[in-house]
Amino acid sequence: MHAWLCTNPVGVDALTWTELPTPAPKAGEVLIEIKAASLNFPDLLIVQNKYQMKPPLPFVPGSEYAGVVAAVGDGVTHLKVGQNVACLSGTGGFGTHTIAPAALCMPLPDGFSHVDAAAFIMIYATSYHALVDRAQLKAGETVLVLGAAGGVGTAAIQIAKAMGARVIAAASSDEKCALCTSIGADATINYSKDNLRDAIKTLTDGKGPDVIYDPVGGDFAEPAFRSIAWRGRYLVVGFASGPIPALPFNLALLKGASIVGVFWGDFAKREPKANAAMMGELAQWYAQGKIKPVIDRTMPMAELPAAYAHMGSRGVMGKLVMVN
C-alpha cells in the first residue's frame, strides 16, 4: 500500500507519499481499500500540530473516507469483504488502504457513490446534530448560516430546508452566494461587501434569525449575535477563520438567547444509539434526494499537497475529495 505519511507535524510540506506494508485487521477492525477521501479543515490543522487530537507519530492524515472492505478481523459480523463503507476515524484516509474500527464504519446502501460517501459523515452529522438536536429547529423559523458555501455550511442549508426553515446564507463572494441559492437558500449576504447587521435586519424585517449556525467564529460572531431574534439559539460549530470570539454575556440576557455548543464527535461517543439513529435518518434523506454533498472537485490522491493549497486559499465551495 501507499499513504501520505506525516513524520513531523510542521505542515503540509512534511508529508511524503510512502510505500508501507499492507496491515492485517485485528479483532474489531477492518481493512479498507480506499476509493475516495475528503479534505476537511481538521486535516489541515492536524498536520500543523494545531488540532485537539494529536496522534502518535508517524501517522497518515485523512479523517474521512469511503471504500471497499478488503479484510475483516475477529468478531466483526456486521461487515463483510467486498462491502462498500464510509468511515470517519480521524486519521488514515490519505492512502490506498487503512485499518478502521468496524464500529465506526457506515455500510453504504446501493447507489451511494464513494465520492459522496467520503464527503458525507462529518458535514451532515455535524449540521443535523446542530440544527435538529441542539437548536431544536422548527418549520417556519429563520436560520442564518455563516460560512455557508463551505462543507458544513452547504449541509446546514440543505438540512434546514428539509426541515421547513427559511435560510439566509452568508458567504464571502457573489460566486459562493450563487452556489448557496442553487442548493436552496432563500436569501444571501455577501459579507465581503455588505454590512452584516444591516443585511440581517433588512432580510428579517428587524426580527433577526431564530437560529445562527456559525462554523467561522472571528469578527462576524458578535455582529451576528447582536442581530439574533428573541429566544434565538447561537450554534457554536467551529472557528474556521482562526480567532475564537469572545461574546459579551449581556447580549444573551437582553435577547433571552442561548449560546449552544456543538461537538458532534463527543455526541457520537457519549450517545452512540442516538447517533446511529441520526445517521440512519441522514442515509434515508440522501436516498430520497433531500440532501447531497456539494463537491467542489475531485483530485487524484497523489495531488494531495495541491489540494491542501486549494483549501488554504479559501476557494473551496462544498467539499474537496481525493480519489484513488
Side-chain angles (χ1 to χ4, degrees):
M1 63 167 282
H2 281 77
W4 285 98
L5 201 62
C6 180
T7 54
N8 185 15
V10 293
V12 177
D13 292 342
L15 296 175
T16 53
W17 185 243
T18 307
E19 185 174 2
L20 300 165
T22 304
K26 298 176 183 150
E29 296 178 338
V30 293
L31 173 68
I32 297 175
E33 181 186 347
I34 295 170
K35 299 295 186 183
S38 66
L39 191 56
N40 294 289
F41 190 59
D43 298 320
L44 179 60
L45 297 178
I46 203 166
V47 299
Q48 298 171 334
N49 206 31
K50 294 179 181 175
Y51 195 53
Q52 56 252 37
M53 182 182 79
K54 302 198 187 305
L57 298 171
F59 69 92
V60 176
S63 54
E64 183 176 29
Y65 47 89
V68 181
V69 176
V72 299
D74 290 343
V76 177
T77 55
H78 70 294
L79 299 173
K80 60 183 185 296
V81 172
Q83 188 167 9
N84 291 308
V85 295
C87 186
L88 198 157
S89 60
T91 57
F94 295 148
T96 59
H97 297 75
T98 194
I99 294 290
L104 295 183
C105 292
M106 172 183 171
L108 297 178
D110 291 343
F112 207 135
S113 78
H114 287 125
V115 169
D116 279 357
F120 189 81
I121 297 176
M122 182 179 286
I123 61 172
Y124 286 102
T126 297
S127 296
Y128 188 106
H129 173 55
L131 293 167
V132 181
D133 185 5
R134 303 296 287 134
Q136 299 286 303
L137 180 64
K138 300 175 184 65
E141 289 190 316
T142 295
V143 179
L144 170 67
V145 180
L146 301 175
V152 290
T154 52
I157 292 170
Q158 294 176 4
I159 288 170
K161 290 304 297 178
M163 296 179 67
R166 176 174 181 252
V167 175
I168 300 170
S172 61
S173 72
D174 289 341
E175 186 184 11
K176 289 180 177 180
C177 287
L179 168 73
C180 295
T181 300
S182 75
I183 60 170
D186 299 284
T188 60
I189 299 169
N190 178 346
Y191 46 53
S192 67
K193 63 182 186 183
D194 299 332
N195 179 284
L196 185 62
R197 289 201 69 192
D198 290 347
I200 293 170
K201 191 173 184 179
T202 300
L203 291 171
T204 61
D205 296 323
K207 175 178 175 284
D210 301 289
V211 174
I212 296 175
Y213 181 100
D214 183 8
V216 179
D219 293 339
F220 294 118
E222 186 168 329
F225 193 66
R226 286 183 180 276
S227 306
I228 203 165
W230 174 251
R231 288 186 183 267
R233 289 86 78 200
Y234 193 102
L235 296 167
V236 181
V237 182
F239 313 103
S241 72
I244 296 176
L247 294 172
F249 270 11
N250 66 309
L251 298 178
L253 182 153
L254 293 169
K255 295 293 186 86
S258 305
I259 300 170
V260 185
V262 178
F263 190 0
W264 166 70
D266 242 37
F267 162 74
K269 289 175 191 165
R270 293 169 182 265
E271 304 177 44
K273 286 186 179 177
N275 183 63
M278 177 183 83
M279 295 311 301
E281 175 89 354
L282 285 168
Q284 285 187 337
W285 282 13
Y286 177 86
Q288 294 162 0
K290 290 181 178 179
I291 56 176
K292 181 175 172 60
V294 174
I295 306 300
D296 180 271
R297 67 189 65 182
T298 59
M299 298 175 69
M301 188 68 77
E303 295 179 16
L304 181 65
Y308 268 113
H310 180 48
M311 188 175 75
S313 74
R314 303 226 178 264
V316 175
M317 295 193 290
K319 291 289 284 278
L320 190 56
V321 179
M322 314 307 298
V323 293
N324 283 316

